[in-house]
Amino acid sequence: APVNQISEQPKCHVHDKVKNWEVGKIREKVCVNDEPPTEFEGKHYCLFHLPTKAKDIEKFEEKFRARLKEIKEKIADAEKLSESEHKQVITEIRYDFRYVWFPTAIDLSFYKFVSVADFQSTTFSEYCNFNVAIFSRVDFQSATFSDFVNFKSAKFKDYANFSSATFMAIAYFSSATLAADTNFSHTTFSADADFSEATFSADADFSEAKFLETSQVFFQQTRFCKTVDFKYAVFTGYVTFKGKRGENVFLDKEAVLEIKNDLNQKFMYLRKEFAKRRIDFRITDNFVENQEAVLNLQNARLEKPERISFHRVRLCPGWFVNVDSRKMVFTDVIWDNLDRQFRNPNITAEIESLENREVSEPRRLLEVACRQLGVNAEENNRYEDASKFRYMAMETKRLEYSWHGRLWTLSWWYRLSSGYGENWSQAFAVLLAILLLSGVFYNSPWANFEMPEKKQTTAVVKTEPEQTTEQPQKPEFYKMNNLEGFVYSLYVAALQRPEPKAADTTTRLFVILETIFAPLQAALLALAIRRKFMR
């Protein structure tokens, strides 16, 4: 009879969203099967999966700690096995708490999860503390953190999965070390989230994450070493990226190398401790040669872009393609690949980076991104940056054409004459060249001017002995000396009508050309100077 009663006992429903193919394994490996299930809202649940605080909390805590102790003993037994047996057994041991509903606060600070920890779809109804915990590989996919959760100074050795998780209260990841890929895709942040001084050694995926209006997310002195992906993310709350002198959040190659060496030293004791259990713990496996951080904001939805701010961080123009950056906040930002360079290696580097990220039409998108960043800089009185962004946009557009199409076009002349109206020194040099060239021509043998009236000579012609008349001689061409030629050039450039007048077609043509190009170049110089100091 007891056997029949046990066999007829209702099975745990586990969760409304649990998949059919995994129900059997969860009932076997996770459920508390030595206690009769409890009926709740027409469904039966074991002690672990009962979705309410109205359950035996003391017994829940007892069973949970007993499960942790059981896993610890299995790991200790595995250490006694041979090398091949150990590897096989240790991979099968899991901290399996899928769909568990925690009714009270949980404190696992300083706990070492030496094998896979699976908290998939787990609900933490109250305070959850993983302070300074060490994770091998952990899965919090679709987990719900209803109260404050603390991962401060936690170490994540392997892949950490928080995809589709919901943080309804404050989440602390400050000073955490995430040594492998980290997944926060589709995650919802409803309140504050602090990633200050955390280190992301590998890819950090925040794609399609939601930052609600009630949230404030801080990446203050955070260190990103590889790709940081926010594509299709929804920004409604406040998101701040803030660095300090010498540490610019999105790290370049040299800074990443320093982080790698620092982590090697910092986690030496962890490698030794895990080595005793024959478990590999190399915190820097995911570093690659010439690794550096890359920010991806493509197609992110900016509900309130003015709430996204970057303070004293390293950025690249190509990181803002396919997103409207005109109202973002940039303060004391270090821009890579922005300064003008001969043969444009900066633009080439940005385009190559976009191509490596498989961005379609990278040249066109880079041009648009630079124009929007230029508008942002000008609206916020950062005229020097605005000038560089506009120049980069124009130069990127020119480089879209083949090499022969780049020459002798209006853009080519605009670039040559004044750096697209952005380089006052170049505009001044071209204007000075026009004036000097004109001055040299005016005092050359090929320039002919009418003889001034005061220098024309008259001769007396006798018609009859009693009568004389004055008849002017045919004037000779007037030639200028060096000083006169340069002064004459200044007069022409100032749209005056200097004397003497040109005496032949060649000289008249040269005067007309200077009358056109010198004032035009002066206008470009004035524009470049104005753009440097004001809108």
Side-chain angles (χ1 to χ4, degrees), residues 33-51:
N33 294 315
D34 56 353
E35 297 282 341
T38 302
E39 185 176 355
F40 179 77
E41 295 182 353
K43 300 168 185 174
H44 291 84
Y45 297 91
C46 74
L47 182 61
F48 273 2
H49 294 120
L50 183 62

PDB file of all heavy atoms in Angstrom, residues 33-51:
ATOM      1  N   ASN A  33      12.031  15.315  -3.466  1.00  0.00           N
ATOM      2  CA  ASN A  33      11.135  14.173  -3.678  1.00  0.00           C
ATOM      3  C   ASN A  33      10.836  13.382  -2.412  1.00  0.00           C
ATOM      4  O   ASN A  33      10.025  12.451  -2.443  1.00  0.00           O
ATOM      5  CB  ASN A  33      11.728  13.245  -4.742  1.00  0.00           C
ATOM      6  CG  ASN A  33      11.783  13.907  -6.100  1.00  0.00           C
ATOM      7  OD1 ASN A  33      10.823  14.537  -6.525  1.00  0.00           O
ATOM      8  ND2 ASN A  33      12.912  13.773  -6.793  1.00  0.00           N
ATOM      9  N   ASP A  34      11.518  13.715  -1.318  1.00  0.00           N
ATOM     10  CA  ASP A  34      11.245  12.988  -0.073  1.00  0.00           C
ATOM     11  C   ASP A  34      10.188  13.688   0.773  1.00  0.00           C
ATOM     12  O   ASP A  34       9.977  13.342   1.931  1.00  0.00           O
ATOM     13  CB  ASP A  34      12.527  12.808   0.728  1.00  0.00           C
ATOM     14  CG  ASP A  34      13.209  14.130   1.029  1.00  0.00           C
ATOM     15  OD1 ASP A  34      12.754  15.178   0.501  1.00  0.00           O
ATOM     16  OD2 ASP A  34      14.209  14.130   1.781  1.00  0.00           O
ATOM     17  N   GLU A  35       9.558  14.713   0.203  1.00  0.00           N
ATOM     18  CA  GLU A  35       8.462  15.406   0.871  1.00  0.00           C
ATOM     19  C   GLU A  35       7.256  15.398  -0.068  1.00  0.00           C
ATOM     20  O   GLU A  35       7.406  15.526  -1.288  1.00  0.00           O
ATOM     21  CB  GLU A  35       8.851  16.856   1.186  1.00  0.00           C
ATOM     22  CG  GLU A  35      10.003  17.015   2.153  1.00  0.00           C
ATOM     23  CD  GLU A  35       9.555  16.799   3.593  1.00  0.00           C
ATOM     24  OE1 GLU A  35       8.337  16.878   3.857  1.00  0.00           O
ATOM     25  OE2 GLU A  35      10.431  16.542   4.441  1.00  0.00           O
ATOM     26  N   PRO A  36       6.069  15.261   0.451  1.00  0.00           N
ATOM     27  CA  PRO A  36       4.872  15.278  -0.418  1.00  0.00           C
ATOM     28  C   PRO A  36       4.689  16.664  -1.025  1.00  0.00           C
ATOM     29  O   PRO A  36       4.947  17.679  -0.380  1.00  0.00           O
ATOM     30  CB  PRO A  36       3.724  14.923   0.535  1.00  0.00           C
ATOM     31  CG  PRO A  36       4.225  15.306   1.885  1.00  0.00           C
ATOM     32  CD  PRO A  36       5.704  15.064   1.875  1.00  0.00           C
ATOM     33  N   PRO A  37       4.268  16.760  -2.306  1.00  0.00           N
ATOM     34  CA  PRO A  37       4.064  18.064  -2.935  1.00  0.00           C
ATOM     35  C   PRO A  37       2.908  18.819  -2.308  1.00  0.00           C
ATOM     36  O   PRO A  37       1.994  18.222  -1.713  1.00  0.00           O
ATOM     37  CB  PRO A  37       3.786  17.703  -4.389  1.00  0.00           C
ATOM     38  CG  PRO A  37       3.263  16.319  -4.354  1.00  0.00           C
ATOM     39  CD  PRO A  37       3.955  15.645  -3.199  1.00  0.00           C
ATOM     40  N   THR A  38       2.948  20.115  -2.462  1.00  0.00           N
ATOM     41  CA  THR A  38       1.918  20.989  -1.901  1.00  0.00           C
ATOM     42  C   THR A  38       1.070  21.553  -3.029  1.00  0.00           C
ATOM     43  O   THR A  38       1.587  21.971  -4.067  1.00  0.00           O
ATOM     44  CB  THR A  38       2.563  22.150  -1.120  1.00  0.00           C
ATOM     45  OG1 THR A  38       3.390  21.597  -0.085  1.00  0.00           O
ATOM     46  CG2 THR A  38       1.511  23.051  -0.512  1.00  0.00           C
ATOM     47  N   GLU A  39      -0.237  21.583  -2.835  1.00  0.00           N
ATOM     48  CA  GLU A  39      -1.121  22.139  -3.861  1.00  0.00           C
ATOM     49  C   GLU A  39      -1.186  23.651  -3.721  1.00  0.00           C
ATOM     50  O   GLU A  39      -1.357  24.189  -2.622  1.00  0.00           O
ATOM     51  CB  GLU A  39      -2.526  21.540  -3.735  1.00  0.00           C
ATOM     52  CG  GLU A  39      -3.448  21.997  -4.853  1.00  0.00           C
ATOM     53  CD  GLU A  39      -4.816  21.335  -4.786  1.00  0.00           C
ATOM     54  OE1 GLU A  39      -5.013  20.447  -3.922  1.00  0.00           O
ATOM     55  OE2 GLU A  39      -5.691  21.700  -5.594  1.00  0.00           O
ATOM     56  N   PHE A  40      -1.020  24.339  -4.862  1.00  0.00           N
ATOM     57  CA  PHE A  40      -1.068  25.800  -4.859  1.00  0.00           C
ATOM     58  C   PHE A  40      -1.701  26.253  -6.166  1.00  0.00           C
ATOM     59  O   PHE A  40      -1.197  25.947  -7.257  1.00  0.00           O
ATOM     60  CB  PHE A  40       0.362  26.369  -4.727  1.00  0.00           C
ATOM     61  CG  PHE A  40       0.415  27.868  -4.739  1.00  0.00           C
ATOM     62  CD1 PHE A  40       0.061  28.597  -3.618  1.00  0.00           C
ATOM     63  CD2 PHE A  40       0.818  28.562  -5.880  1.00  0.00           C
ATOM     64  CE1 PHE A  40       0.116  29.987  -3.626  1.00  0.00           C
ATOM     65  CE2 PHE A  40       0.889  29.944  -5.893  1.00  0.00           C
ATOM     66  CZ  PHE A  40       0.533  30.667  -4.754  1.00  0.00           C
ATOM     67  N   GLU A  41      -2.845  26.941  -6.035  1.00  0.00           N
ATOM     68  CA  GLU A  41      -3.582  27.453  -7.193  1.00  0.00           C
ATOM     69  C   GLU A  41      -3.890  26.340  -8.194  1.00  0.00           C
ATOM     70  O   GLU A  41      -3.708  26.488  -9.410  1.00  0.00           O
ATOM     71  CB  GLU A  41      -2.812  28.592  -7.875  1.00  0.00           C
ATOM     72  CG  GLU A  41      -2.665  29.820  -6.984  1.00  0.00           C
ATOM     73  CD  GLU A  41      -1.933  30.954  -7.695  1.00  0.00           C
ATOM     74  OE1 GLU A  41      -1.430  30.730  -8.827  1.00  0.00           O
ATOM     75  OE2 GLU A  41      -1.880  32.073  -7.142  1.00  0.00           O
ATOM     76  N   GLY A  42      -4.303  25.194  -7.657  1.00  0.00           N
ATOM     77  CA  GLY A  42      -4.735  24.090  -8.503  1.00  0.00           C
ATOM     78  C   GLY A  42      -3.608  23.248  -9.061  1.00  0.00           C
ATOM     79  O   GLY A  42      -3.865  22.326  -9.854  1.00  0.00           O
ATOM     80  N   LYS A  43      -2.357  23.506  -8.676  1.00  0.00           N
ATOM     81  CA  LYS A  43      -1.223  22.738  -9.172  1.00  0.00           C
ATOM     82  C   LYS A  43      -0.375  22.287  -7.996  1.00  0.00           C
ATOM     83  O   LYS A  43      -0.374  22.922  -6.936  1.00  0.00           O
ATOM     84  CB  LYS A  43      -0.385  23.584 -10.137  1.00  0.00           C
ATOM     85  CG  LYS A  43      -1.163  24.059 -11.355  1.00  0.00           C
ATOM     86  CD  LYS A  43      -0.404  25.122 -12.134  1.00  0.00           C
ATOM     87  CE  LYS A  43      -1.268  25.668 -13.267  1.00  0.00           C
ATOM     88  NZ  LYS A  43      -0.635  26.789 -13.972  1.00  0.00           N
ATOM     89  N   HIS A  44       0.350  21.199  -8.197  1.00  0.00           N
ATOM     90  CA  HIS A  44       1.174  20.649  -7.133  1.00  0.00           C
ATOM     91  C   HIS A  44       2.642  21.011  -7.346  1.00  0.00           C
ATOM     92  O   HIS A  44       3.146  20.950  -8.470  1.00  0.00           O
ATOM     93  CB  HIS A  44       1.005  19.126  -7.065  1.00  0.00           C
ATOM     94  CG  HIS A  44      -0.350  18.713  -6.599  1.00  0.00           C
ATOM     95  ND1 HIS A  44      -1.435  18.619  -7.445  1.00  0.00           N
ATOM     96  CD2 HIS A  44      -0.802  18.365  -5.350  1.00  0.00           C
ATOM     97  CE1 HIS A  44      -2.499  18.239  -6.763  1.00  0.00           C
ATOM     98  NE2 HIS A  44      -2.152  18.076  -5.485  1.00  0.00           N
ATOM     99  N   TYR A  45       3.303  21.365  -6.241  1.00  0.00           N
ATOM    100  CA  TYR A  45       4.708  21.765  -6.297  1.00  0.00           C
ATOM    101  C   TYR A  45       5.472  21.116  -5.153  1.00  0.00           C
ATOM    102  O   TYR A  45       4.939  20.935  -4.050  1.00  0.00           O
ATOM    103  CB  TYR A  45       4.853  23.283  -6.167  1.00  0.00           C
ATOM    104  CG  TYR A  45       4.222  24.082  -7.280  1.00  0.00           C
ATOM    105  CD1 TYR A  45       2.900  24.516  -7.173  1.00  0.00           C
ATOM    106  CD2 TYR A  45       4.941  24.427  -8.425  1.00  0.00           C
ATOM    107  CE1 TYR A  45       2.317  25.274  -8.175  1.00  0.00           C
ATOM    108  CE2 TYR A  45       4.362  25.175  -9.436  1.00  0.00           C
ATOM    109  CZ  TYR A  45       3.053  25.594  -9.309  1.00  0.00           C
ATOM    110  OH  TYR A  45       2.481  26.330 -10.315  1.00  0.00           O
ATOM    111  N   CYS A  46       6.740  20.815  -5.427  1.00  0.00           N
ATOM    112  CA  CYS A  46       7.626  20.373  -4.345  1.00  0.00           C
ATOM    113  C   CYS A  46       8.059  21.581  -3.536  1.00  0.00           C
ATOM    114  O   CYS A  46       7.771  22.733  -3.900  1.00  0.00           O
ATOM    115  CB  CYS A  46       8.829  19.626  -4.914  1.00  0.00           C
ATOM    116  SG  CYS A  46      10.042  20.709  -5.716  1.00  0.00           S
ATOM    117  N   LEU A  47       8.787  21.329  -2.461  1.00  0.00           N
ATOM    118  CA  LEU A  47       9.192  22.416  -1.568  1.00  0.00           C
ATOM    119  C   LEU A  47      10.051  23.451  -2.291  1.00  0.00           C
ATOM    120  O   LEU A  47       9.912  24.661  -2.058  1.00  0.00           O
ATOM    121  CB  LEU A  47       9.956  21.838  -0.374  1.00  0.00           C
ATOM    122  CG  LEU A  47      10.409  22.835   0.692  1.00  0.00           C
ATOM    123  CD1 LEU A  47       9.218  23.538   1.327  1.00  0.00           C
ATOM    124  CD2 LEU A  47      11.254  22.136   1.750  1.00  0.00           C
ATOM    125  N   PHE A  48      10.923  23.026  -3.188  1.00  0.00           N
ATOM    126  CA  PHE A  48      11.799  23.957  -3.890  1.00  0.00           C
ATOM    127  C   PHE A  48      11.024  24.823  -4.897  1.00  0.00           C
ATOM    128  O   PHE A  48      11.328  25.998  -5.069  1.00  0.00           O
ATOM    129  CB  PHE A  48      12.901  23.195  -4.618  1.00  0.00           C
ATOM    130  CG  PHE A  48      14.112  22.923  -3.773  1.00  0.00           C
ATOM    131  CD1 PHE A  48      14.162  23.314  -2.442  1.00  0.00           C
ATOM    132  CD2 PHE A  48      15.213  22.258  -4.294  1.00  0.00           C
ATOM    133  CE1 PHE A  48      15.281  23.052  -1.653  1.00  0.00           C
ATOM    134  CE2 PHE A  48      16.332  21.997  -3.516  1.00  0.00           C
ATOM    135  CZ  PHE A  48      16.366  22.382  -2.191  1.00  0.00           C
ATOM    136  N   HIS A  49      10.053  24.258  -5.565  1.00  0.00           N
ATOM    137  CA  HIS A  49       9.400  24.963  -6.669  1.00  0.00           C
ATOM    138  C   HIS A  49       8.079  25.632  -6.297  1.00  0.00           C
ATOM    139  O   HIS A  49       7.470  26.285  -7.150  1.00  0.00           O
ATOM    140  CB  HIS A  49       9.170  23.993  -7.832  1.00  0.00           C
ATOM    141  CG  HIS A  49      10.441  23.517  -8.457  1.00  0.00           C
ATOM    142  ND1 HIS A  49      10.797  22.180  -8.499  1.00  0.00           N
ATOM    143  CD2 HIS A  49      11.479  24.181  -9.048  1.00  0.00           C
ATOM    144  CE1 HIS A  49      11.973  22.043  -9.102  1.00  0.00           C
ATOM    145  NE2 HIS A  49      12.414  23.242  -9.435  1.00  0.00           N
ATOM    146  N   LEU A  50       7.642  25.474  -5.079  1.00  0.00           N
ATOM    147  CA  LEU A  50       6.407  26.119  -4.636  1.00  0.00           C
ATOM    148  C   LEU A  50       6.564  27.639  -4.725  1.00  0.00           C
ATOM    149  O   LEU A  50       7.392  28.233  -4.016  1.00  0.00           O
ATOM    150  CB  LEU A  50       6.086  25.694  -3.198  1.00  0.00           C
ATOM    151  CG  LEU A  50       4.779  26.231  -2.602  1.00  0.00           C
ATOM    152  CD1 LEU A  50       3.569  25.746  -3.385  1.00  0.00           C
ATOM    153  CD2 LEU A  50       4.674  25.830  -1.126  1.00  0.00           C
ATOM    154  N   PRO A  51       5.793  28.341  -5.597  1.00  0.00           N
ATOM    155  CA  PRO A  51       6.029  29.770  -5.866  1.00  0.00           C
ATOM    156  C   PRO A  51       5.342  30.711  -4.890  1.00  0.00           C
ATOM    157  O   PRO A  51       4.523  31.556  -5.272  1.00  0.00           O
ATOM    158  CB  PRO A  51       5.470  29.937  -7.285  1.00  0.00           C
ATOM    159  CG  PRO A  51       4.352  28.953  -7.351  1.00  0.00           C
ATOM    160  CD  PRO A  51       4.756  27.788  -6.490  1.00  0.00           C
TER     161      PRO A  51
END
